[in-house]
Amino acid sequence: MKIRLNVSDECYAELEKKLLNAGFVIDDEAELIITEKERFSSYIAVKNEKGEKVRIKSEEIIFIESFGHDVVVHGADGKSYYAIDRLYQLTASLDNTKFLRVSNCAIIAKAHVKKIKPSISMKFILTMSDGSVVDVTRSYYNSFREFFGI
């Protein structure tokens, strides 16, 4: 049986060893996920520029955007990664007090929003900490205002 581990670095090695000895296969694309007690994930599985599967901390995420079937995670380290999960799965797994979906193709990290500019037709234009610009669409306008208390 394939299992994905979504745990801290401190627990990962020990848990991986026990599960492998029990006959489980550790795979970052598995549907069955073992996570720590916290409800929200502090790590997400991604692929780096070499195509290797790695995990990055959610605190290191500036924003996430999708282009068709590709989901790109923009990290605070200036690198971009390809997420293994779909955007809706990431929305559910990330802490909803720190991350917000702002359009059908973008999730932003609250801590990395540096500028909020109102636009016409009930929209906002966000400038992120890395200088990227992300649009808040009309469908997400009210939830965005509530999230930021504006």
Side-chain angles (χ1 to χ4, degrees):
M1 173 181 273
K2 292 183 180 181
I3 295 178
R4 182 185 334 172
L5 295 179
N6 195 4
V7 296
S8 65
D9 290 335
E10 297 83 32
C11 298
Y12 192 90
E14 180 182 347
L15 189 55
E16 179 183 39
K17 182 180 175 184
K18 288 180 181 180
L19 289 169
L20 290 174
N21 288 338
F24 291 96
V25 176
I26 309 300
D27 185 352
D28 285 332
E29 295 181 16
E31 292 294 321
L32 183 60
I33 302 170
I34 294 179
T35 187
E36 290 180 275
K37 188 174 181 179
E38 295 179 2
R39 178 175 174 225
F40 298 107
S41 172
S42 56
Y43 293 89
I44 65 167
V46 296
K47 291 183 181 178
N48 63 15
E49 63 276 352
K50 297 177 185 176
E52 302 166 331
K53 293 178 189 174
V54 295
R55 296 178 321 134
I56 61 171
K57 291 183 177 183
S58 61
E59 294 85 26
E60 297 174 4
I61 298 170
I62 296 175
F63 71 102
I64 304 168
E65 61 184 335
S66 67
F67 302 101
H69 293 292
D70 294 331
V71 178
V72 180
V73 178
H74 297 273
D77 58 3
K79 296 180 182 176
S80 294
Y81 305 91
Y82 285 96
I84 293 171
D85 292 329
R86 297 280 179 229
L87 205 60
Y88 74 90
Q89 293 169 316
L90 292 171
T91 302
S93 69
L94 292 168
D95 186 345
N96 61 2
T97 63
K98 297 177 182 176
F99 292 89
L100 179 69
R101 187 149 183 187
V102 294
S103 70
N104 287 339
C105 59
I107 301 171
I108 54 106
K110 184 178 188 177
H112 289 281
V113 175
K114 296 302 174 197
K115 184 178 177 183
I116 302 171
K117 181 181 174 185
S119 182
I120 59 172
S121 300
M122 294 178 59
K123 293 183 180 181
F124 288 106
I125 299 172
L126 309 177
T127 303
M128 306 306 289
S129 61
D130 66 348
S132 299
V133 176
V134 179
D135 292 337
V136 178
T137 61
R138 288 187 306 182
S139 301
Y140 295 87
Y141 178 82
N142 289 327
S143 61
F144 178 83
R145 287 187 55 180
E146 183 179 319
F147 186 73
F148 278 93
I150 53 177

